[in-house]
Amino acid sequence: MERYKIIREIGDGTCGNVFMAYNVETNEIVAVKKMKRKFFQWEECVSLREVKALQKLIHPNIVKLKEVTMENHELFFIFEHMECNLYDVIRERQVAFSEGDIRNFMVQILQGLAYMHKNGYFHRDLKPENLLVTNGIVKIADFGLAREVSSSPPYTDYVSTRWYRAPEVLLQSSAYTPAIDMWAVGAILAELFTLSPLFPGESETDQLYKICTVLGTPDCTVWQEGMNLPRSSSFKYFQIPPRNLWELIPNASLEAIDLIQRLCSWDPRRRPTAEQALQHPFFNVCNWVPRPVHDAPDTKTNESKAHPKLELNLWDFSTEPDDCFLDLTLSLKPSFPGTDLANHVPQRTEEEILLYSGFENTPAGFWPLVPSDRPIGDVPAMPSWQQAYMVDSQSSLPGFSGSPFGLSLQPSLLENHSLAPIRQVNFF
Ligand SMILES: Nc1ncnc2c1ncn2[C@@H]1O[C@H](COP(=O)(O)OP(=O)(O)OP(=O)(O)O)[C@@H](O)[C@H]1O
């Protein structure tokens, strides 16, 4: 250990203290985790879960274990050094993250997880503190509780920090799966939008209660197996209807809400795997900078109001996905102010509803997406500009390309302020 000079302490966890240090031979900055418990044999060290897992898991989104050293019965892990953890990033954040930032974090977390799960491990303690960040790069850390998927249940030992703990673990299932990591990802995704935890339980019972206050109390239609778990009788104390996630996370897009809802499914079998989550439409967007309506010329003049609008109305298409989108070229039909769809969408300003075709170089159409299982009437037509969903000619349409996410398209408007015919958009 004389090769390492400690600079300062950077973390104090349950199992170890973490220090920033530098390697005097290489001048490299590293993180040294000094385990709190004493070790007497090298075999004990190498059989630790953290060592076993990290030896095998080499991935850009998993923190790299460089070395393991034992000295005077003390065990040290030498890791690549990361600037901070996601908990600090969230805590210090004054304004909400952009959806692009959140997407960037999530892709990396999911890629790390997908790799880990594919290689037979699940983490069991995913939380913002265990996601390390340097310059926008996220790496999963703290494999102290990692388990091999092939290891046999019952899993009875302590698992995961309460706020991110999956309901099957709270209800004392002894045979949980990697889906517990997916629950944690859903809670973290919500937290990235609101900057506060989605389920901040103060005890195990309160944790279940907090989950019920968001998702509603489950019943056998939602989660059959859950009804038979040892602590499922707790549910009889809280009969709570589900909240609308849009109210709780108002800055999230429809796709983000849909992903959170799927990840935080009561039933672990309904949660997408990490690999499936990466296919979710939340990640399938192009960069599009909306032009505010009031910047567009002529839109507020009497002259333009007198002109017909070109309106895209997806209700005109069949409801069969293949019928709708097979080699779809959007059909546009003229309509007139006062009779257009905008008037049928309550409580939305014109600015919120209308989408302009003035992006001459943008080969795209704009779609708000809603989960296929949600009645159209439940969903705001276009809650904000942020929720315009862009599909370009390169990308496949979500839900129709083998993606596990069936999303239906919500009718929307596409107004041509300049009255030139709107470009037709080919999706395939
Ligand atoms: N490689 C690293 N680079 C920078 N900081 C790190 C690194 N590894 C850990 N840390 C910091 O130290 C903290 C504790 O580390 P870690 O989670 O590995 O310890 P632990 O004892 O297993 O914690 P826990 O209480 O979560 O089980 C992390 O939250 C992080 O802030």
Side-chain angles (χ1 to χ4, degrees):
M1 281 305 292
E2 27 334 314
R3 270 187 300 137
Y4 296 100
K5 276 231 169 327
I6 301 296
I7 300 173
R8 62 185 165 89
E9 185 168 7
I10 48 178
D12 180 10
T14 322
C15 310
N17 298 86
V18 183
F19 302 90
M20 182 180 182
Y22 81 95
N23 182 330
V24 290
E25 289 170 8
T26 63
N27 287 333
E28 186 188 20
I29 298 287
V30 293
V32 175
K33 180 168 173 177
K34 180 180 165 202
M35 299 304 277
K36 288 183 175 167
R37 84 170 237 231
K38 298 262 184 243
F39 288 81
F40 297 94
Q41 285 179 344
W42 184 241
E43 289 68 40
E44 264 183 274
C45 308
V46 290
S47 64
L48 280 179
R49 286 194 187 126
E50 191 158 10
V51 178
K52 282 190 355 193
L54 282 171
Q55 262 178 345
K56 291 186 197 153
L57 300 174
I58 314 290
H59 186 273
N61 300 116
I62 294 179
V63 72
K64 189 171 170 205
L65 177 63
K66 291 166 163 287
E67 206 183 309
V68 183
T69 312
M70 192 169 86
E71 243 179 55
N72 303 325
H73 305 301
E74 288 183 320
L75 183 64
F76 301 90
F77 293 156
I78 316 298
F79 288 104
E80 65 176 310
H81 177 262
M82 300 289 287
E83 267 169 19
C84 54
N85 63 46
L86 196 58
Y87 171 77
D88 297 328
V89 174
I90 292 173
R91 200 186 42 185
E92 281 155 26
R93 186 83 190 175
Q94 307 287 335
V95 290
F97 290 110
S98 72
E99 194 148 309
D101 288 340
I102 295 174
R103 199 175 286 122
N104 180 38
F105 286 137
M106 291 306 297
V107 162
Q108 298 182 65
I109 297 166
L110 286 168
Q111 280 173 345
L113 262 189
Y115 170 85
M116 188 191 306
H117 291 170
K118 200 167 125 204
N119 282 279
Y121 281 89
F122 55 122
H123 188 284
R124 303 201 306 168
D125 194 16
L126 272 188
K127 57 180 175 180
E129 289 94 322
N130 288 339
L131 296 167
L132 305 181
V133 184
T134 293
N135 289 332
I137 305 291
V138 185
K139 302 198 183 202
I140 303 171
D142 191 2
F143 284 69
L145 287 172
R147 265 262 183 199
E148 280 179 79
V149 176
S150 59
S151 62
S152 345
Y155 306 135
T156 46
D157 47 357
Y158 167 79
V159 170
S160 71
T161 305
R162 195 190 308 120
W163 294 352
Y164 307 91
R165 204 175 294 169
E168 62 271 30
V169 179
L170 290 164
L171 294 174
Q172 295 176 343
S173 163
S174 55
Y176 46 80
T177 66
I180 67 167
D181 290 341
M182 303 316 296
W183 172 276
V185 170
I188 293 167
L189 173 55
E191 186 166 339
L192 283 169
F193 279 101
T194 59
L195 306 180
S196 51
L198 182 61
F199 308 119
E202 287 169 15
S203 63
E204 292 219 345
T205 314
D206 187 49
Q207 189 62 33
L208 275 172
Y209 173 76
K210 290 271 168 27
I211 297 171
C212 288
T213 59
V214 175
L215 304 183
T217 311
D219 58 25
C220 55
T221 62
V222 172
W223 187 23
Q224 175 75 57
E225 284 74 19
M227 301 300 105
N228 303 321
L229 290 176
R231 288 187 55 204
S232 58
S233 54
S234 320
F235 288 137
K236 74 171 182 275
Y237 299 112
F238 353 105
Q239 286 304 316
I240 306 168
R243 287 285 302 273
N244 189 336
L245 270 191
W246 279 287
E247 288 165 21
L248 295 173
I249 316 172
N251 56 331
S253 66
L254 297 176
E255 302 88 61
I257 295 284
D258 181 78
L259 182 55
I260 294 166
Q261 247 157 2
R262 289 173 193 262
L263 290 165
C264 293
S265 299
W266 280 109
D267 185 343
R269 288 179 314 173
R270 295 191 192 196
R271 291 174 213 147
T273 64
E275 221 157 273
Q276 286 169 338
L278 284 164
Q279 303 302 314
H280 189 276
F282 176 62
F283 299 108
N284 191 13
V285 290
C286 310
N287 292 324
W288 169 60
V289 181
R291 185 156 88 193
V293 171
H294 52 259
D295 285 350
D298 299 336
T299 52
K300 299 275 189 245
T301 65
N302 289 338
E303 191 196 351
S304 72
K305 279 187 180 158
H307 285 295
K309 292 173 189 168
L310 288 177
E311 172 191 299
L312 170 67
N313 187 347
L314 287 174
W315 285 317
D316 292 342
F317 293 99
S318 150
T319 52
E320 287 301 309
D322 286 344
D323 291 348
C324 284
F325 302 112
L326 193 64
D327 197 18
L328 171 65
T329 297
L330 295 181
S331 78
L332 299 162
K333 66 170 189 181
S335 71
F336 290 87
T339 60
D340 65 19
L341 197 59
N343 295 314
H344 302 300
V345 182
Q347 297 164 348
R348 301 284 155 205
T349 66
E350 194 179 37
E351 292 198 3
E352 287 174 312
I353 298 166
L354 301 179
L355 293 167
Y356 277 82
S357 64
F359 311 101
E360 303 306 336
N361 300 317
T362 313
F366 307 102
W367 305 84
L369 289 173
V370 295
S372 55
D373 58 354
R374 185 166 290 275
I376 292 271
D378 271 356
V379 179
M382 180 65 74
S384 71
W385 279 110
Q386 224 190 349
Q387 298 188 350
Y389 183 85
M390 190 170 92
V391 183
D392 74 6
S393 50
Q394 309 299 314
S395 59
S396 55
L397 258 179
F400 304 105
S401 58
S403 152
F405 303 99
L407 286 161
S408 60
L409 291 169
Q410 167 93 347
S412 76
L413 289 179
L414 189 59
E415 185 185 42
N416 180 3
H417 63 82
S418 65
L419 299 174
I422 299 175
R423 268 174 298 95
Q424 293 188 321
V425 190
N426 285 310
F427 287 99
F428 297 100

